[in-house]
Amino acid sequence: MKTAIMASRKNLRDGGDPPRIDAIVARVRGEFREMPGLQLTLAQACRLWQVDIATCEMVLEQLVRDCFLRKTNNGRISAYNADRYTEADRYTEKE
C-alpha cells in the first residue's frame, strides 16, 4: 500500500488520481504504530503525508473518532493508548 501512496505523488504531477482516503488512513495508522510517541501538529501531518489540510483533517478526525488517535491539550495529534491516558483525555475539544 505504501507503494501506491508514494506513487500517487507522481500520478498527481502527471494528472493521475489522488490517493483514496482509506489508503491515507492506513498509512497514518502505520506511521503511528511504527513510531510510538509520535506527536504531530496539523501542518506537520500534512507535510508528512503530502495531503492538503482538508484531507488531513478528515483523516485525523476519523482516527480520533475511532479512538486510534487523540488530540492533546497543546493541539498535537498522538496515538491513543488506553493504558496511558484517562477517559477524560480521550475526548478533547478541537481548537
Side-chain angles (χ1 to χ4, degrees), residues 34-77:
E34 290 174 14
M35 293 183 272
L38 178 64
Q39 290 191 4
L40 299 170
T41 64
L42 179 60
Q44 290 169 329
C46 290
R47 285 192 302 273
L48 179 61
W49 297 304
Q50 300 173 352
V51 296
D52 60 85
I53 290 174
T55 301
C56 194
E57 284 180 327
M58 184 176 14
V59 167
L60 296 176
E61 287 173 10
Q62 177 181 332
L63 291 169
V64 168
R65 280 192 309 274
D66 293 346
C67 296
F68 181 78
L69 297 179
R70 73 179 201 101
K71 189 168 186 180
T72 66
N73 291 334
N74 63 3
R76 292 178 179 269
I77 295 292

Side-chain angles (χ1 to χ4, degrees), residues 2 24-36 38 40 48-49 68:
K2 280 191 177 184
I24 298 169
V25 168
R27 181 172 180 204
V28 171
R29 283 182 182 271
E31 297 282 356
F32 277 96
R33 284 185 184 124
E34 290 174 14
M35 293 183 272
L38 178 64
L40 299 170
L48 179 61
W49 297 304
F68 181 78

